[in-house]
Amino acid sequence: MVLGHEPAGTVAKTGAGVTGWPAGTRAALEPAIYCYHCEFCRSGRHNICANIRFLSNPLIPGFFREYVNLPAASLLPIPDSVPLDAATLIEPLAVAMHSLKFAGIQIGDRVAVFGAGPIGLLTIACLKLAGAGRIWVSEPLAHRRDMAKSMGADVTIDPNQVDAARQIFTEAGNRGVDCALDCAAKQHTTNEAIRAAANGGRVVITGIHSQCFVPMEVSPMRRKELAIFNVRRSNDEPERARDLMVERLNWFAPMITHHRPLREIAAAFANAEAYGEQAGKTVIV
Ligand SMILES: [Zn+2]
């Protein structure tokens, strides 16, 4: 299986009939191929296409390789001002932007984010842009708490030291946050998001749980009448994510802390898995 689904690259060659993509054009790449014919595509929700083919699945190789053959529609041109490594942030930024559709942020909303990996960090930036008031971030790694602050977190919490959900609920006027986003997708972070949310609040599960069955605290969910949302990648956000990357490159680019050549990918993955070397996002070049 070939992993890798946050890609950017340069056009090497095009097939017959493809126009407008001269060799050398730099582009962010869309890792999913949609059918554009099913009822979900036709209703504008192609991210939940019934016939989706996602490159980076056991049967469909992803992007950790030298060459990929893609439909031209899967390419998003990037201007010279955006380096290729930063262009790899466009795909996850689009996911964070898509999650904001469910977060429904009103100016001044109190918000909590659980997990400050790359998706959590980009989510914090989007929340800031959307007008969130105070943003609490729960993240066990010190260097990622620092990154969360630079992305716009107002309060960072080490969940190994305190009960993060309780602290957030209390500090948010002793009523909880309007919206809690789970960007870590562990059993405990999903339940902390539920506990941190206010009555009538929204819980957005952006992360992907590694288990199929995850126990959730249904009593507070019901008592608070929470709205629980799931996020599947992104929909029509990649173009705006690209434009935002152009506008705010200096804000996002510091998330990329490491570059590793393809031949060292196993060590790069081992380091990411161990949360070593104070890594933010590692780019395979
Ligand atoms: Zn479809």
Side-chain angles (χ1 to χ4, degrees):
M1 174 174 172
V2 180
L3 293 168
H5 65 265
E6 299 177 1
T10 305
V11 174
K13 197 175 167 185
T14 53
V18 177
T19 55
W21 292 96
T25 304
R26 299 156 68 256
L29 310 174
E30 168 57 49
I33 298 175
Y34 311 105
C35 80
Y36 294 110
H37 291 278
C38 73
E39 66 171 293
F40 308 106
C41 281
R42 288 159 67 93
S43 65
R45 299 185 70 186
H46 56 257
N47 61 311
I48 49 172
C49 169
N51 306 304
I52 197 167
R53 286 181 293 151
F54 189 74
L55 279 71
S56 188
N57 262 328
L59 297 176
I60 312 176
F63 290 83
F64 287 138
R65 47 187 166 133
E66 289 85 353
Y67 294 98
V68 178
N69 188 4
L70 285 175
S74 300
L75 276 63
L76 192 62
I78 55 172
D80 291 341
S81 62
V82 176
L84 275 185
D85 64 349
T88 67
L89 291 170
I90 292 172
E91 195 272 352
L93 178 58
V95 173
M97 291 168 71
H98 187 56
S99 77
L100 268 274
K101 280 184 178 160
F102 306 106
I105 300 302
Q106 302 291 312
I107 289 178
D109 269 0
R110 287 165 269 203
V111 184
V113 175
F114 293 87
I119 288 285
L121 293 170
L122 292 166
T123 299
I124 294 163
C126 289
L127 290 165
K128 206 72 191 168
L129 290 169
R134 186 159 282 255
I135 302 173
W136 287 262
V137 175
S138 173
E139 163 59 50
L141 297 174
H143 73 277
R144 288 194 165 169
R145 288 197 298 275
D146 292 341
M147 295 174 94
K149 285 252 174 163
S150 69
M151 297 306 275
D154 297 289
V155 181
T156 57
I157 299 167
D158 178 355
N160 291 330
Q161 298 300 319
V162 296
D163 182 334
R166 178 182 294 243
Q167 180 178 331
I168 293 165
F169 187 94
T170 304
E171 290 182 2
N174 213 25
R175 45 81 92 184
V177 289
D178 303 291
C179 181
L181 297 102
D182 179 11
C183 296
K186 309 287 187 197
Q187 179 180 326
H188 65 90
T189 56
T190 300
N191 285 296
E192 284 166 339
I194 290 166
R195 290 204 300 274
N199 290 358
R202 304 172 297 281
V203 171
V204 180
I205 303 172
T206 312
I208 302 173
H209 288 92
S210 55
Q211 304 106 323
C212 190
F213 296 99
V214 176
M216 286 163 64
E217 294 175 35
V218 293
S219 289
M221 277 166 59
R222 183 196 61 79
R223 284 198 307 271
K224 297 182 190 180
E225 206 170 64
L226 297 180
I228 311 282
F229 294 99
N230 292 278
V231 179
R232 179 145 183 208
R233 292 198 58 246
S234 65
N235 179 244
D236 59 349
E237 292 86 1
E239 286 81 5
R240 281 178 290 132
R242 183 265 320 271
D243 294 349
L244 195 53
M245 191 59 60
V246 174
E247 296 291 335
R248 307 288 183 128
L249 182 63
N250 294 336
W251 194 17
F252 297 121
M255 280 179 53
I256 299 172
T257 55
H258 289 61
H259 298 80
R260 293 288 180 267
L262 189 56
R263 67 179 179 279
E264 293 177 16
I265 192 168
F269 263 92
N271 186 58
E273 188 178 14
Y275 303 108
E277 298 177 9
Q278 309 232 321
K281 189 171 171 59
T282 298
V283 175
I284 302 299
V285 296

